[in-house]
Amino acid sequence: MQLEIGNIYNGKVKGITQYGAFIDIEGGGTGMVHISEIANTYVNDIREHLTENQEVKVKVIGINEAGKVSLSIKKATDQPAPQRPQKRSDNGSHNSRPQKPNIWEPKKQTPPSEMTFEDMMSRFKQTSEERMCDLKRSTDRKNGTRRK
């Protein structure tokens, strides 16, 4: 089952941290509720509001490119705002176009055969720089040197 942003699902609290709670969504994987999305009031300690294995209703408020799901308990319990009537144009017809559902799909990697030489060089340069930084960091840790 694919999760859609804006939909409300049933879930179960699987883990609680200082900054949020991890929720298993029925048939849809796992997402995280940030501490600011637990209740409409200030939450100092999450455990005052949630316990592990507690059943909760959650609303999907975001899915990033890596597939991490952001959830909200307080938005799932809020009453939806009343629908505003759509404005009409001068000729009296609706200015509505069909809305595509907001469904996250993984980013498709373009095969090397479809990439230009510049794209391949840019990707190579980026990954090379990332690897060099990681290598430098790990050797600095092993040698015990630090930057000041």
Side-chain angles (χ1 to χ4, degrees), residues 10-23:
N10 290 323
K12 186 182 273 192
V13 178
K14 282 296 169 188
I16 297 175
T17 65
Q18 290 179 342
Y19 54 86
F22 291 94
I23 310 293

Side-chain angles (χ1 to χ4, degrees), residues 12-133:
K12 186 182 273 192
V13 178
K14 282 296 169 188
I16 297 175
T17 65
Q18 290 179 342
Y19 54 86
F22 291 94
I23 310 293
D24 271 352
I25 301 168
E26 289 181 2
T30 302
M32 193 196 86
V33 177
H34 188 265
I35 190 168
S36 64
E37 293 293 331
I38 289 179
N40 286 321
T41 61
Y42 177 75
V43 177
N44 189 34
D45 183 15
I46 296 172
R47 295 184 188 278
E48 292 175 0
H49 296 268
L50 296 174
T51 59
E52 291 192 16
N53 295 320
Q54 177 182 348
E55 298 281 334
V56 291
K57 283 196 179 293
V58 290
K59 182 175 186 176
V60 178
I61 57 174
I63 304 174
N64 71 7
E65 290 179 357
K68 293 183 179 178
V69 181
S70 297
L71 304 170
S72 173
I73 294 174
K74 71 179 182 182
K75 290 180 182 170
T77 56
D78 287 348
Q79 297 298 323
Q83 294 287 333
R84 294 182 184 174
Q86 290 184 345
K87 294 182 180 179
R88 294 179 180 232
S89 62
D90 293 338
N91 63 4
S93 64
H94 285 338
N95 258 356
S96 63
R97 55 185 169 173
Q99 294 285 325
K100 182 180 173 189
N102 195 358
I103 299 175
W104 177 84
E105 294 177 5
K107 205 175 198 181
K108 294 180 179 144
Q109 294 275 340
T110 54
S113 61
E114 295 177 10
M115 294 177 67
T116 65
F117 178 75
E118 288 80 18
D119 292 338
M120 288 190 281
M121 283 300 290
S122 175
R123 181 185 283 177
F124 171 77
K125 184 179 174 186
Q126 181 181 1
T127 57
S128 177
E129 288 173 354
E130 289 171 356
R131 289 178 181 173
M132 289 300 291
C133 285

Side-chain angles (χ1 to χ4, degrees), residues 133-147:
C133 285
D134 290 343
L135 181 62
K136 184 165 177 26
R137 235 182 267 127
S138 73
T139 56
D140 284 350
R141 277 192 218 120
K142 289 178 183 174
N143 293 337
T145 59
R146 290 186 178 174
R147 293 186 185 195

